[in-house]
């Protein structure tokens, strides 16, 4: 029977049953509508007959009525684009069923049944890279958030936990390695074919299911846990990539040790597998016992990976490993609780990376991401709370807000509690909710009770969107300094009015003459305004506030440039020192862009900035990694965020002019710094990494002041490079210059690394991100390059994410950049909707851009919205962006 044409649907709408007729607006899912699933599925067994073009899946589900659910006459099994081959209920063919859209609804009368569901899928035709798909001749899966329903019919929601037993079979020659979650319990051969059986003893939701079959080789190692259990570790890659897996393996072992020491969390299986795949929508995925990674976050050696790549690998390996507790042992009740696992795990990976390297530099990098990506999200049409209230497509909510702001919110609890009390809170959380599908509220309660905090008002951070603005004023009278704080949380879509939230601010008051302060204080203020007084100051102190970025807020204050110069040179909190440098440059650039600076003011501000920069360059007490942070200019995105309506052209021009001015004023200092750094031989230690960082920064300043000299220096650095950081840094600078060296070195780079996909991605990115005036034309040409393909997300992102993040190019005044991104979205949407939808937010900034460009951005969005058939992903992002 052809059930896809069954006209009967529960709401009596015959059209809904036909998968070909897509409703124009996909339904909105609301957090308040949550109800427990009426059935339990304690055990499931799946049999896979693997083939690249045809995989047959037989799923056997033990189904029982859920005593905690509403009694239901039927069970709804989600599907997505799959066809049912057969269905048996308790051993006999089952006709009492119907299709409701893509879902299979089976009538069930008693309390306990066994369902056997057979489906067939074509992994090679799966370009969405969700569910089971083929990549480079191997088979792999991606099930989060709703990919399991592309494999078999199942209640594909995170609160349905089952133990999985999986048998997989396939041709030995094609798939010599067969991997799944848990432990391998049996294997066998059958002519040219072989099979393996796997069992995962830990109940898990379907989104954590994973399977891999292919011709892979492993770097193997082991880790002995704190209770003395030996765990076998494997990092699986394609033959030839093995030499580039050492850093990944070392990062894994460090992660396992760190989670034991810092959070008391021990690994819980005898085997941990990681597989690297080159076609992957995201960075990596925490499937139980079988993490699947984008090759970008596994493969590294000094010749092909930058220092940033090394750090990224360590962070992502840590992140996915840490999910074993914050995500897998305790999972999410529903997808509105995503920040429960992602926000917390981001915090955990941030703390891990801070402990493995330079903590202040890591903090600065994390804040830069937050302000460069999350703040704009929070002030635009896609703003949402870290625990959203509704969605149409959950893939659109894996956002900087849920992840990075989510991490900041938990970090604030840690700051208020102190490290020790916070650990008591997380211990309680892990103990109380182990084995459950929990909520953000469960987490907050555990921290509240375990750490002994009152988080009543603090919970507002979970429900309110928008970046709070904190007004800061310090005055001085007699010997008393008085600090006045105000807060406002701006309106966001669907949330016009906001309540004040508890904001923990670390601060210090410096004595101007001695340069010292009396100790850092933490103030928490949770009202619209508050006042704090500090006695014993004969003179007005210098205020250092939001030290370590203790709260994810935007500070607004009138501060004397002298104070910023003082803090940039003297603050003992490295983050606050960085902040002073940023404020100094931001204050000047915002004023310069708005056009209200006279020549004298301009000169005075530039001289102050140069003086502060010089003290940074010459401060012998700084390490170069930190020096590099202090030397970095605020990003164009951050600057735009400081203005109600931004003119990207003017911001770009003023920012480049300041860069050139500093490059010229401080040329001798920059060159001395370069000469010193150049003498440091390659290694992966902090000193050598720092040296590489400042070298490329010097080249960037030189490029803005003396392009000819910069081209020479960069070409020299390129030729001498014995590592990818130096080579890529030099090429990045060259790519922005109109010099014959540009063409030579770009060609050399391509020829040198042809065939290494991750390095060729860099080659695409460098050109799309460059400061060259013809980037738009370059990107158009690269779009037609034989190595470009829409089928590989890494390649698409390499070219187009770099382009969309390049303000001078993306915001070309004639709107060509917007048209190109809209064209990409329309072309990519049918191939890979998740990736396509991720290009919509840059266009969604239209309300905050000057009128001419704003209209062109809006036009681009409307053109996408008018397309005859859009994915749920892109539809939702475009309609929200049009607002
Ligand atoms: N669980 C996610 C991966 C994921 C996200 C799968 C969305 C499907 C849809 C994973 O733990 C994750 O968050 N990965 C990040 C990297 C991490 C270091 C923030 C990613 O893939 O970008
Ligand atoms: Zn994650």
């Amino acid at each position: 029977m052809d059930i896809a044409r069954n006209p009967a649907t529960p709401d009596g709408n015959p059209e809904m049953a036909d998968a070909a007729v897509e409703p124009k607006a996909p339904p909105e899912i609301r957090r308040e509508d949550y109800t427990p699933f009426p059935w339990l599925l304690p055990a499931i067994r799946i049999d896979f007959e693997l083939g690249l073009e045809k995989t047959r899946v037989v799923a056997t589900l033990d189904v029982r009525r859920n005593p905690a659910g509403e009694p239901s006459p039927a069970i709804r099994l989600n599907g997505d684009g799959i066809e049912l081959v057969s269905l048996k209920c308790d051993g006999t063919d089952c006709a009492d069923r119907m299709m409701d859209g893509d879902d299979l609804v089976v009538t069930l009368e008693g309390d306990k049944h066994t369902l056997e569901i057979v489906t067939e899928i074509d992994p090679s035709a799966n370009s969405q890279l969700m569910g089971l798909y083929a990549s480079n001749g191997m088979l792999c899966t991606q099930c989060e958030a709703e990919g399991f329903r592309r494999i078999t019919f199942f209640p594909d929601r995170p609160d349905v936990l089952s133990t999985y037993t999986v048998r997989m079979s396939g041709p030995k020659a094609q798939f010599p390695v067969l991997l799944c979650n848990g432990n391998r319990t049996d294997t066998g051969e059958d002519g040219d074919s072989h099979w393996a059986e796997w069992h995962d003893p830990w109940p898990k939701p379907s989104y954590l299911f994973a399977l891999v079959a292919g011709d892979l080789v492993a770097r193997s190692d082991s880790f002995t846990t704190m209770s003395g259990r030996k765990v076998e570790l494997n990092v699986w890659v394609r033959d030839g990539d093995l030499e580039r897996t050492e850093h990944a393996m070392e990062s894994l072992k460090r992660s396992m040790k760190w989670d034991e020491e810092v959070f008391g969390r021990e690994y819980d299986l005898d085997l941990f597998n990681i597989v690297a795949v080159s076609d992957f929508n995201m960075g990596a995925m925490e499937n139980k016992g079988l993490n699947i990674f984008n090759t970008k976050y596994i493969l590294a050696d000094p010749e092909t990976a930058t220092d940033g790549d090394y750090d990224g690998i360590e962070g992502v390996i840590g992140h996915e490993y840490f999910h074993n507790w914050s995500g897998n042992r305790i999972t999410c009740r529903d997808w509105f609780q995503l920040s429960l696992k992602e926000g917390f795990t981001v915090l955990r990976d941030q703390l891990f990376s801070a402990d493995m390297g330079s903590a202040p530099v890591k903090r600065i990098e994390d804040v830069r991401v937050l302000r460069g990506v999350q703040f704009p999200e929070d002030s635009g049409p896609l703003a949402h709370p870290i625990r959203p209230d509704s969605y149409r497509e959950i893939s659109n909510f894996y956002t900087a807000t849920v992840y990075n702001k989510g991490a900041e919110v938990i970090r604030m609890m840690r700051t208020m509690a102190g490290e020790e009390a916070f650990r008591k809170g997380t211990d309680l959380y892990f103990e109380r909710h182990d084995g459950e599908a929990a909520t953000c509220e469960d987490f907050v309660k555990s921290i509240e009770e375990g750490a002994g905090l009152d988080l009543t008002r603090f919970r507002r951070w979970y429900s309110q969107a928008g970046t709070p603005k904190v007004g800061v004023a310090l005055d001085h009278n007699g010997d008393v300094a008085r600090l006045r704080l105000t807060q406002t949380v701006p309106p966001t879509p669907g949330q016009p009015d906001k309540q004040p939230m508890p904001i923990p601010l670390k601060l210090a008051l410096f004595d101007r003459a001695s340069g010292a302060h009396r100790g850092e204080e933490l103030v928490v203020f949770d009202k619209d305004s508050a006042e704090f007084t500090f006695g014993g100051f004969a003179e007005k102190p210098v205020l250092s506030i939001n030290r370590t970025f203790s709260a994810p807020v935007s500070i607004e204050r009138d501060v004397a440039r002298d104070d910023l110069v003082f803090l940039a040179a003297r603050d003992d909190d490295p983050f606050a020192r960085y902040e002073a440098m940023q404020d100094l440059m931001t204050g000047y650039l915002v004023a310069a862009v708005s056009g209200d600076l006279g020549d004298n003011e301009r000169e005075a501000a530039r001289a102050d900035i140069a003086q502060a920069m010089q003290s940074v360059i010459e401060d012998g007490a700084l390490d170069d990694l930190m020096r590099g942070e202090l030397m970095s200019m605020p990003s164009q995105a951050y600057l735009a965020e400081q203005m109600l309506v931004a003119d990207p052209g003017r911001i770009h021009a003023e920012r480049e002019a300041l860069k050139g001015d500093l490059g010229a004023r401080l040329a001798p200092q920059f060159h001395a710094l370069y000469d010193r750094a150049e003498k440091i031989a390659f290694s992966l230690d902090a000193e050598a990494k720092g040296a590489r960082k400042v070298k490329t920064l010097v080249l960037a300043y030189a490029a803005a002041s003396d392009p000819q000299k910069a081209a020479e220096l960069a070409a020299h650095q390129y030729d001498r490079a014995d590592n990818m950081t130096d080579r890529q840094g030099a090429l990045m600078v060259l790519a922005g210059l109109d010099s014959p060296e540009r063409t030579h070195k770009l060609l050399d780079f391509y020829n040198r690394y042809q065939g290494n996909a991750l390095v060729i991605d860099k080659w695409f990115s460098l050109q799309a991100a460059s400061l060259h005036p013809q980037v738009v034309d370059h990107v158009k040409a690269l779009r037609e390059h034989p190595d470009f393909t829409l089928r590989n997300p890494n390649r698409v992102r390499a070219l187009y994410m770099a382009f969309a993040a390049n303000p001078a190019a993306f915001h070309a005044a004639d709107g060509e950049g917007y048209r190109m991104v809209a064209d990409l979205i329309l072309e990519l949407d049918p191939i890979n909707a998740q990736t396509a939808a991720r290009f919509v937010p840059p266009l969604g900034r239209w309300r905050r851009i000057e009128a001419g460009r704003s209209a062109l951005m809006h036009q681009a969005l409307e053109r996408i919205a008018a397309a005859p058939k859009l994915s749920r992903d892109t539809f939702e992002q475009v309609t929200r962006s049009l607002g």
Side-chain angles (χ1 to χ4, degrees), residues 640-656:
E641 196 53 27
Q642 310 308 305
M643 304 164 195
L644 215 51
V645 173
D647 181 333
R650 294 198 57 150
I651 297 176
H652 181 73
E654 286 296 348
R655 190 173 175 277
E656 287 309 303

Side-chain angles (χ1 to χ4, degrees), residues 142 144-145 282-286 315-316 319-320 323 341-342 346 349 398 403:
Q142 170 57 40
E144 187 177 4
M282 300 287 294
M285 177 65 208
E286 71 264 26
V316 180
H319 179 98
E320 306 311 336
H323 268 314
K341 75 174 176 85
E342 294 302 348
V346 169
D349 83 52
Y398 287 75
Y403 274 66

Side-chain angles (χ1 to χ4, degrees), residues 209-230:
F209 169 81
L211 163 165
V212 171
D215 191 358
L216 297 163
V217 291
R219 172 184 296 265
S220 302
D221 207 324
S222 72
F223 178 81
T224 304
T225 70
M226 59 189 187
S227 70
R229 241 176 347 90
K230 194 169 168 191

